[in-house]
């Protein structure tokens, strides 16, 4: 799977998203910013575009909700 198609209703109670060793994935769907229960995105050994999409989701959450409820962890070794 290179492209992940999803909506905020696909994972209504998701709290943590961990993506590991998935170089083929192009990005995390931006709709993950709409999942109110999501608190953590962790990206390990994935493409730069996936890392950037995780950061973008965090920025979207901060800009739309006015506070930082979402953490993004991207280990430096990856």
């Amino acid at each position: 799977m290179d492209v992940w198609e999803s909506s905020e209703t696909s994972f209504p109670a998701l709290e943590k998203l961990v993506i590991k060793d998935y170089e083929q994935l192009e990005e995390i769907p931006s709709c993950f910013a709409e999942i109110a229960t999501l608190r953590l995105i962790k990206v390990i050994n994935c493409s730069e575009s996936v890392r950037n999409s995780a950061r973008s989701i965090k920025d979207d959450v901060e800009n739309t909700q006015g506070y930082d409820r979402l953490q993004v962890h991207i280990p430096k070794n990856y």
Side-chain angles (χ1 to χ4, degrees), residues 40-77:
L40 172 67
I41 298 175
K42 188 170 186 176
V43 177
I44 304 166
N45 197 28
C46 294
S47 67
E48 182 68 25
S49 61
V50 170
R51 295 191 299 266
N52 289 339
S53 66
R55 292 180 190 109
S56 179
I57 290 169
K58 179 178 175 55
D59 290 344
D60 288 350
V61 167
E62 289 178 6
N63 291 333
T64 59
Q65 297 183 6
Y67 67 98
D68 185 14
R69 70 154 167 86
L70 179 62
Q71 296 180 9
V72 173
H73 292 197
I74 303 171
K76 293 183 190 249
N77 296 353

Side-chain angles (χ1 to χ4, degrees), residues 5-66:
E5 295 183 22
S6 183
S7 74
E8 66 275 6
T9 59
S10 298
F11 303 97
L14 184 68
E15 295 179 7
K16 298 176 186 174
L17 174 65
V18 178
I19 303 173
K20 182 177 180 182
D21 297 327
Y22 203 167
E23 288 289 333
Q24 296 83 11
L25 184 64
E26 293 178 8
E27 67 179 4
I28 302 167
S30 61
C31 65
F32 276 71
E34 304 299 321
I35 301 174
T37 56
L38 186 60
R39 298 292 181 255
L40 172 67
I41 298 175
K42 188 170 186 176
V43 177
I44 304 166
N45 197 28
C46 294
S47 67
E48 182 68 25
S49 61
V50 170
R51 295 191 299 266
N52 289 339
S53 66
R55 292 180 190 109
S56 179
I57 290 169
K58 179 178 175 55
D59 290 344
D60 288 350
V61 167
E62 289 178 6
N63 291 333
T64 59
Q65 297 183 6

